[in-house]
Amino acid sequence: MLESLIRLYDRDLRKLRSEIEAYKNEDDLWQVKSEINNSAGNLCLHLIGNLNHYIGHQLGGTDYVRNRPLEFSDKNIPKAILIEKIEATRILLQEILPSISTETLTQNHTTEFHGGNDTNEFFLIHLLSHLNYHLGQINYHRRLVRKTKSSL
């Protein structure tokens, strides 16, 4: 199953990159519309922070320090920087995920997630579904922003 997760994380981080690249106007990355509270840029930062914290730091032992509030409050990061961060995260996961042992997969994750009652394997699946949830929001945001502009 780990091989499948490695392929899926790689595929979906490439899709995240492609979604961010699809924004023609960088300002659109940071727009919020009506009931949509988070911009695509902030969702991208959130996904990068989430994966670097939980997989990079907690499972891979990196020195990454997460600032979750900043993931949602930071604005106007250039698209090129977001793409660099996505790519760095994708490469990091390619390095860490294959090194996770079967024993580590069966161990419970830290108490930070559901009180430590779920295995690392379950948590990796959860993180992948979280990535895809926000990837869908970014796709919708991009199309909504484009549609709103074209109807003006």
Side-chain angles (χ1 to χ4, degrees):
M1 183 170 84
L2 190 56
E3 281 298 317
S4 295
L5 285 171
I6 292 166
R7 289 178 52 209
L8 290 167
Y9 274 106
D10 188 69
R11 179 198 70 187
D12 296 342
L13 283 167
R14 287 177 190 274
K15 181 62 179 163
L16 175 60
R17 177 184 176 145
S18 139
E19 285 292 338
I20 297 301
E21 288 174 335
Y23 281 82
K24 306 254 186 278
N25 180 344
E26 288 198 33
D27 291 339
D28 291 349
L29 280 163
W30 305 99
Q31 283 191 29
V32 290
K33 297 279 183 191
S34 57
E35 68 275 356
I36 296 178
N37 297 323
N38 295 311
S39 70
N42 288 115
L43 289 170
C44 180
L45 291 172
H46 172 61
L47 289 168
I48 291 164
N50 185 280
L51 294 171
N52 275 278
H53 175 69
Y54 288 117
I55 296 177
H57 177 69
Q58 289 188 347
L59 292 174
T62 68
D63 60 357
Y64 184 83
V65 177
R66 186 176 191 188
N67 185 342
R68 192 175 188 279
L70 194 60
E71 295 167 12
F72 293 100
S73 64
D74 219 352
K75 303 289 180 220
N76 302 316
I77 308 294
K79 180 165 65 169
I81 300 293
L82 292 176
I83 291 167
E84 285 174 18
K85 289 176 180 278
I86 294 166
E87 190 61 19
T89 302
R90 190 181 69 77
I91 291 167
L92 178 73
L93 268 57
Q94 285 180 342
E95 294 169 358
I96 291 172
L97 290 173
S99 69
I100 297 174
S101 69
T102 303
E103 179 183 346
T104 299
L105 285 173
T106 60
Q107 292 171 347
N108 282 4
H109 196 70
T110 66
T111 57
E112 184 180 351
F113 179 74
H114 291 184
N117 293 320
D118 294 306
T119 65
N120 286 312
E121 180 179 71
F122 177 90
F123 191 61
L124 288 171
I125 295 167
H126 166 78
L127 289 175
L128 183 63
S129 65
H130 177 260
L131 167 59
N132 277 282
Y133 175 75
H134 289 312
L135 186 55
Q137 289 179 317
I138 290 169
N139 175 273
Y140 179 74
H141 177 272
R142 181 179 51 77
R143 291 181 291 117
L144 179 68
V145 168
R146 183 180 62 213
K147 181 179 179 182
T148 304
K149 285 186 153 194
S150 67
S151 64
L152 293 178

